[in-house]
Amino acid sequence: MSQPTPNDPQPVAAKAPKAPAKPVARKNRVLRTSLWMSLAIVVTVLAYLFWGRDRLPATEVLQVLSGQSVPGTSFIILSDRLPRVAVGALAGAGLGISGALFQRWLGNPLASPDVIGVGYGASAAAVLAMLILGYNDWKLNVFALAGGLIVAAVIYWLSASGKRTGPRLILAGLAIGAMLQALIQYLLSRAEMNTASDAMHWLTGSLSSSNWNSALILLISLAVLGVFLLPFVLRQLKMLELGEDSAAALGVNVNQARILLVFVAVAMGAIPIAITGPLAFVAFLAGPISAALSRGPINIPLAGLTGATLVIVANFFAANLFADLALPVGVITGAFGAPFLIWILVRANSTGSGA
């Protein structure tokens, strides 16, 4: 047998292929998308401060932003436009997180509070408090939160028995939502003209009544949920996504995890609704848009940032789309959301995946 010569090619040990760094790439895409969203918010806010509804002199706006007092302009910037921006950003973030939690948990893009009836629960309770009890202060927030939680509990009770909880929850939510819509219409038909008009304006979703007190309520409420409960919910959500049997094997109390997840998701959506009214489709849009931009699963914090961006951009268009008409923000978000919903349904039909 001949011996290999020094010129003969030596066998090379096969190298194991490197595993693709998918988590790193996904994290980079999420970070990149977050930066673009933040840039969009900054640009839109600046554009709104200068050209929101009525154009203001650039020098005066800069003076106000630098801390100087300019008659007229200071009031417009500090008491109207900046509070709208603050409330809109916080409300959008809360709604985006709320919708994304439901969508991630149920694995369905249609599972958002404004589709499955939870938003209608908060709206019906708030309308009842406004028209029947005459509340317009913090009590309205309590009623909206309580209404959303009660409706969520009813929907969960109707859907939790047996398997396929997700589809059952969506169907139960649609049925409850239809009944609550009828209740809202009945309450409006029985109210006085002025009161009904105020309630209708609230139901369209508007930032017109925004002030620093509203922004502070939203900030404190969402911060408490986001700091103390949301991280724990996200850890349990990751286990629930493995399957309920696997989650239980890992030591998760599935029923308690579900209840806490529903509470946080509902509270994140109901508290903004109490202040701004139901901003149509923000909770529905934020998760899928953030997932499409980052090319990965729905990321909860990114969905919150996306929701804030949607409301800020919609607020700018609401103020400037028509020269003689200031539209409620909910009209713009509804106009964005309806075509997106149709696109999701068409895409589901074309891929055969179903919604």
Side-chain angles (χ1 to χ4, degrees):
M1 180 178 294
S2 60
Q3 299 295 324
T5 64
N7 293 329
D8 290 339
Q10 298 297 319
V12 179
K15 294 182 179 180
K18 292 183 179 180
K22 288 184 178 180
V24 175
R26 185 181 302 124
K27 184 177 180 180
N28 290 336
R29 289 196 300 268
V30 169
L31 178 60
R32 191 162 52 246
T33 305
S34 301
L35 292 175
W36 281 111
M37 287 286 178
S38 301
L39 179 62
I41 289 177
V42 171
V43 171
T44 308
V45 167
L46 290 175
Y48 178 65
L49 293 179
F50 285 92
W51 299 294
R53 196 72 192 97
D54 295 309
R55 186 166 185 169
L56 297 174
T59 55
E60 294 185 3
V61 175
L62 293 175
Q63 287 174 347
V64 172
L65 294 179
S66 65
Q68 301 181 43
S69 178
V70 180
T73 303
S74 293
F75 176 81
I76 293 174
I77 295 295
L78 299 178
S79 298
D80 180 46
R81 294 186 184 180
L82 281 179
R84 287 192 188 216
V85 167
V87 170
L90 290 168
L95 290 169
I97 291 173
S98 175
L101 284 173
F102 278 115
Q103 290 163 340
R104 275 273 300 268
W105 173 41
L106 299 176
N108 193 316
L110 296 180
S112 67
D114 42 6
V115 174
I116 64 175
V118 174
Y120 288 117
S123 298
V127 169
L128 178 68
M130 292 171 64
L131 299 183
I132 305 300
L133 303 176
Y135 293 156
N136 280 301
D137 51 8
W138 60 270
K139 298 175 184 176
L140 185 67
N141 304 340
V142 174
F143 266 78
L145 178 58
L149 290 173
I150 291 172
V151 170
V154 172
I155 295 172
Y156 182 81
W157 174 72
L158 290 173
S159 61
S161 59
K163 296 183 179 181
R164 296 179 60 81
T165 301
R168 290 164 61 91
L169 188 144
I170 293 173
L171 291 175
L174 290 171
I176 297 295
M179 289 189 291
L180 291 172
Q181 277 185 297
L183 174 62
I184 291 172
Q185 294 301 321
Y186 171 76
L187 292 173
L188 291 173
S189 67
R190 302 292 296 178
E192 296 181 359
M193 183 66 68
N194 292 336
T195 309
S197 177
D198 293 340
M200 282 297 298
H201 182 73
W202 180 86
L203 283 169
T204 59
S206 175
L207 301 179
S208 60
S209 61
S210 299
N211 54 53
W212 290 117
N213 288 334
S214 300
L216 183 61
I217 292 173
L218 267 177
L219 178 62
I220 293 174
S221 303
L222 296 180
V224 169
L225 292 170
V227 172
F228 295 105
L229 293 180
L230 186 59
F232 181 68
V233 167
L234 292 181
R235 287 196 296 270
Q236 292 194 324
L237 176 60
K238 291 179 181 178
M239 297 182 187
L240 289 175
E241 288 176 325
L242 300 174
E244 294 185 357
D245 293 337
S246 299
L250 292 172
V252 176
N253 187 317
V254 174
N255 287 331
Q256 290 183 3
R258 280 178 173 180
I259 292 171
L260 182 60
L261 189 152
V262 170
F263 170 79
V264 173
V266 171
M268 280 283 186
I271 293 171
I273 287 175
I275 291 177
T276 66
L279 298 175
F281 289 116
V282 173
F284 167 70
L285 289 170
I289 288 178
S290 63
L293 292 176
S294 61
R295 290 179 293 158
I298 293 175
N299 181 280
I300 304 299
L302 181 58
L305 184 60
T306 304
T309 306
L310 287 173
V311 177
I312 293 296
V313 173
N315 179 58
F316 177 78
F317 279 111
N320 293 279
L321 197 58
F322 296 103
D324 300 325
L325 180 63
L327 295 173
V329 175
V331 173
I332 303 297
T333 59
F336 286 164
F340 195 83
L341 174 59
I342 294 173
W343 177 78
I344 283 183
L345 294 175
V346 171
R347 184 170 176 269
N349 288 335
S350 64
T351 59
S353 59

